[in-house]
Amino acid sequence: MKRPHLDKVDDNATTSYGTLDDFRSDIQRMVQLPPISDEDIDGSTVGDPNDEESRGFLVVSFSRAHLNQTGAGHFSPVAAYHPATDSCLVLDVARFKYAPYWVSVEELYEATKPLDETTGKSRGWFVMRPPRVQLDAVNGYQGINKRDEGMRP
């Protein structure tokens, strides 16, 4: 998870930092080419369906209080970006509490900075990507690449 700001840093921990520009860039990249579904594999999809760098979902961990909402820390996906207003559409996962809403990228970025009371670290964002798909020139979509996960509990 990218952590744009840490007041207290554990010198033994590996931490990556992200700037406002990194955050904006990640949002733009993820909303331009979302992951494809089985129904999309018909030859009309733009781009390579296995392009792991461009296909995914961006999830942000932020302080609700910083956005004048009730509650504390929260995770929600970002679904769209509006360049003219530099805003993004947050699909709040607590739909009973908040409908999807637009927020400026800078304001959402700033909402990732407050320290979490439990961890003592700031929040951040991450990108989730689906597993790679297998495409067969004759038969089309063949499912995901098999992964050996070994013994699972």
Side-chain angles (χ1 to χ4, degrees), residues 36-59:
I36 56 176
S37 68
D38 296 357
E39 293 80 25
D40 293 331
I41 309 278
D42 64 0
S44 65
T45 304
V46 176
D48 179 1
N50 284 317
D51 183 0
E52 293 181 359
E53 290 302 311
S54 63
R55 296 192 179 275
F57 295 105
L58 184 130
V59 178

Side-chain angles (χ1 to χ4, degrees), residues 60-131:
V60 64
S61 171
F62 60 95
S63 165
R64 280 195 180 279
H66 193 82
L67 297 180
N68 296 317
Q69 299 175 350
T70 59
H74 191 63
F75 289 88
S76 281
V78 174
Y81 175 72
H82 186 252
T85 59
D86 193 35
S87 298
C88 59
L89 179 63
V90 175
L91 297 182
D92 203 304
V93 295
R95 289 178 31 197
F96 65 93
K97 194 172 187 178
Y98 293 102
Y101 55 90
W102 289 92
V103 62
S104 78
V105 170
E106 184 172 5
E107 191 174 359
L108 187 57
Y109 174 79
E110 291 298 322
T112 68
K113 289 183 177 181
L115 297 182
D116 175 67
E117 292 178 14
T118 303
T119 65
K121 296 180 179 181
S122 64
R123 301 170 195 291
W125 68 94
F126 56 93
V127 172
M128 296 174 51
R129 293 187 174 90

